[in-house]
Amino acid sequence: MRVYVPLTLPRLAQAHEAGELGPGPMTAYAVTPALREWYVSDDIEELEYAALNRAALASLRLLAGEPGAARRRVVLAADVPDGTAVADPDRGLDQGALGEVRIAGALPLAKAAAVHVDSGDAEADVTAAADALGAADHGDDDARFVVDGAEDHELLWYATQEIPNLIGAQD
């Protein structure tokens, strides 16, 4: 199963140093039955893209809580054995939890397939979105518009061998 783990560049650096993400439990995103039903699609690439975008929003939430972190959303894509990532059946119909899964233990970085990171061009919009997130959550339509603006930026794909360059670029 492919999972998408939301991170920040400092958290990616910690994982790189430790050789793993964790300890668990941790939240990730994947193609769950609820996500599949919500998007009404059989195209696995579309569904994985939706799960990636859910993880990117979760990364934005992490950034909002880490004011010193570089303002780039980070998502680690990893392949885990079936059953490792489990959806909460009680949250299956909660739109905010679509695609959300829990991973009980640490996730070895060797399981990573790729890293998705915002380009430098996205930093201003991601910064504004992180700052507006609280107001957006409380129903402010203007703030929601700013948060949605971060989604206009596609995350770039990086091979896992490029992680040292990514974490070196956060300074």
Side-chain angles (χ1 to χ4, degrees):
M1 168 183 257
R2 173 70 49 102
V3 296
Y4 299 91
V5 183
L7 297 171
T8 60
L9 283 172
R11 290 177 188 222
L12 180 62
Q14 289 171 348
H16 179 68
E17 186 176 315
E20 66 182 16
L21 290 169
M26 70 186 82
T27 299
Y29 294 82
V31 178
T32 62
L35 184 92
R36 192 179 294 273
E37 184 176 323
W38 180 264
Y39 284 93
V40 191
S41 176
D42 289 329
D43 185 335
I44 192 65
E45 287 182 15
E46 284 181 26
L47 293 167
E48 286 185 350
Y49 184 72
L52 171 66
N53 284 330
R54 305 290 296 178
L57 178 59
S59 175
L60 183 65
R61 291 191 178 287
L62 293 174
L63 285 172
E66 293 181 25
R71 303 329 245 176
R72 293 184 185 189
R73 297 168 299 164
V74 178
V75 176
L76 182 98
D79 294 315
V80 299
D82 288 343
T84 302
V86 180
D88 182 347
D90 293 333
R91 295 192 68 199
L93 299 177
D94 178 359
Q95 184 181 355
L98 287 175
E100 189 177 288
V101 294
R102 302 289 282 168
I103 299 172
L107 179 63
L109 217 47
K111 298 282 187 189
V115 180
H116 302 270
V117 181
D118 276 312
S119 71
D121 295 346
E123 285 187 15
D125 288 338
V126 171
T127 299
D131 292 344
L133 200 53
D137 286 346
H138 286 94
D140 184 319
D141 289 338
D142 292 334
R144 170 57 40 205
F145 181 77
V146 172
V147 170
D148 290 346
E151 295 176 12
D152 292 341
H153 296 277
E154 293 287 327
L155 297 177
L156 303 177
W157 180 95
Y158 293 92
T160 56
Q161 299 89 323
E162 296 177 274
I163 291 174
N165 295 334
L166 289 170
I167 57 180
Q170 70 178 320
D171 302 326

